[in-house]
Amino acid sequence: MKPPPFAYCRPHSLDEALEFLAEHGDEARPLAGGQSLVPMLNHRLARPTVLVDIGAIGDLQRMDRNESGWRIGATVTQRRVERESTEGCDLLRLAMPFIGHRQIRARGTVGGSIAHADPAAELPAVALTLDATMVAAGLDGQREIPAAEFFAGPYMNSLEEGEILSHVTFPTVPPTTRCSFREFARRKGDFAVAGVAATVDFEDGSVTAASLTAFAVGSNPVRLTGAEAAVAGRHLDEAALIDSAEAAAAEIEPWDDIHGSPQYRRQLVAALLRRALQEVAP
Ligand SMILES: Cc1cc2nc3c(=O)[nH]c(=O)nc-3n(C[C@H](O)[C@H](O)[C@H](O)COP(=O)(O)OP(=O)(O)OC[C@H]3O[C@@H](n4cnc5c(N)ncnc54)[C@H](O)[C@@H]3O)c2cc1C
């Protein structure tokens, strides 16, 4: 199908883009890599009459490291993050190859994936696991939104009308922090049926901090706080692996769709978490 008619503009500054959005209200949508929005237009799932292409705004293309972590501009492509060093942010590097196919990652952006808030997307899960900070730009200035407050349901975020996600800061972790990213999909490049992201710190073999997230099992990625508590202070021995996997399976509320039943997804998350913890165990 072809998209419904729309007007198109390609501003070169963030202020100009924000003014276009303010002028057209809910009729306008930012266009980033178009890898989700264009299919939605073609399927008439979205009908904006104005597309504000944010791809020519230089400031949104910056990717650099500061004292807080990696500051990644909204229109930095997923492929660029995959190819360039994000030292101190291994989870980001591990997750990137799971996003669709290389051609999609060459166009798809970090900000687009996070703003789109697909429940099965990898980047929102990474953002939640690392406690990333989203920075929203509006005509009145910028505001920071913690990842835990950003995702507001399937395909929904907490940006106000007229705001643009300008960049995301992914905190870096010490070299001793161990990371794992696991997902199950029917075919390589498909969206995950279920997935798990993990960062774990150890001292003398015992877990001192664990950040564990499941995704593709509900409206948004979800921190596995029960599983985190189950491994706290423990060596990742067989008993700890069983306890955390059971806690994870019990605390998620997976949906039911053609890809898997809630029970199947509980088992998947338990198995993926177990493998992730085995991978990071010293
Ligand atoms: C075949 C296929 C397979 C895919 N597989 C996966 C996968 O396995 N995992 C995965 O995570 N993704 C997958 N994707 C989606 C891909 O990652 C998209 O790139 C991503 O979801 C959206 O990024 P985009 O830059 O293309 O955004 P767009 O499609 O341009 O925009 C998506 C939405 O976000 C809004 N938006 C974009 N940027 C901003 C911003 N800076 N501020 C505010 N709102 C903004 C747009 O208005 C739109 O509503 C797949 C896509 C395809 C076509």
Side-chain angles (χ1 to χ4, degrees):
M1 281 174 73
K2 296 262 189 299
F6 56 82
Y8 171 86
C9 56
R10 189 170 163 86
H12 285 79
S13 77
L14 189 53
D15 284 346
E16 209 186 334
L18 291 168
E19 275 158 22
F20 274 121
L21 290 178
E23 186 183 337
H24 297 284
D26 64 4
E27 289 290 305
R29 287 277 274 274
L31 171 70
Q35 297 302 295
S36 296
L37 184 53
V38 172
M40 285 167 63
L41 295 176
N42 290 346
H43 289 98
R44 313 288 162 116
L45 296 170
R47 289 173 173 269
T49 55
V50 180
L51 292 188
V52 181
D53 185 343
I54 57 175
I57 302 172
D59 194 42
L60 302 189
Q61 297 164 6
R62 277 177 46 208
M63 172 172 160
D64 44 48
R65 188 175 177 171
N66 60 28
E67 66 284 353
S68 317
W70 280 97
R71 177 200 183 283
I72 301 191
T75 57
V76 169
T77 63
Q78 298 152 4
R79 181 76 179 136
R80 183 174 160 203
V81 176
E82 183 181 6
R83 286 167 65 98
E84 292 188 11
S85 162
T86 49
E87 195 186 352
C89 217
D90 277 357
L91 193 63
L92 202 50
R93 180 181 54 78
L94 293 174
M96 218 49 71
F98 288 99
I99 303 177
H101 304 276
R102 188 179 298 178
Q103 292 83 347
I104 287 154
R105 299 195 293 275
R107 300 286 310 175
T109 65
V110 170
S113 176
I114 287 181
H116 189 54
D118 188 315
E122 289 79 7
L123 276 169
V126 171
L128 188 66
T129 309
L130 293 175
D131 288 327
T133 302
M134 323 308 186
V135 178
L139 282 176
D140 296 334
Q142 294 198 334
R143 67 188 178 103
E144 295 189 346
I145 310 170
E149 294 168 20
F150 186 81
F151 304 105
Y155 309 101
M156 288 187 282
N157 61 48
S158 54
L159 293 173
E160 302 285 347
E161 186 179 302
E163 282 185 330
I164 288 176
L165 177 63
S166 75
H167 62 273
V168 181
T169 299
F170 293 91
T172 45
V173 297
T176 47
T177 302
R178 294 166 181 246
C179 309
S180 178
F181 192 93
R182 300 251 167 184
E183 73 172 47
F184 175 76
R186 298 270 174 206
R187 297 170 305 183
K188 182 163 169 43
D190 280 2
F191 276 99
V193 180
V196 162
T199 65
V200 186
D201 290 292
F202 296 90
E203 195 173 312
D204 298 330
S206 298
V207 174
T208 54
S211 180
L212 309 173
T213 297
F215 65 99
V217 293
S219 307
N220 290 127
V222 58
R223 279 285 286 270
L224 299 169
T225 52
E228 290 172 1
V231 294
R234 296 174 71 178
H235 285 251
L236 291 183
D237 54 17
E238 183 61 18
L241 295 180
I242 291 172
D243 289 348
S244 59
E246 285 181 356
E251 68 187 303
I252 56 174
E253 293 176 15
W255 51 27
D256 193 0
D257 65 15
I258 56 166
H259 302 296
S261 65
Q263 181 54 20
Y264 178 59
R265 284 193 160 93
R266 282 186 208 284
Q267 289 176 2
L268 269 182
V269 166
L272 292 167
L273 180 63
R274 180 188 173 86
R275 289 177 197 173
L277 292 175
Q278 281 175 323
E279 184 184 347
V280 299

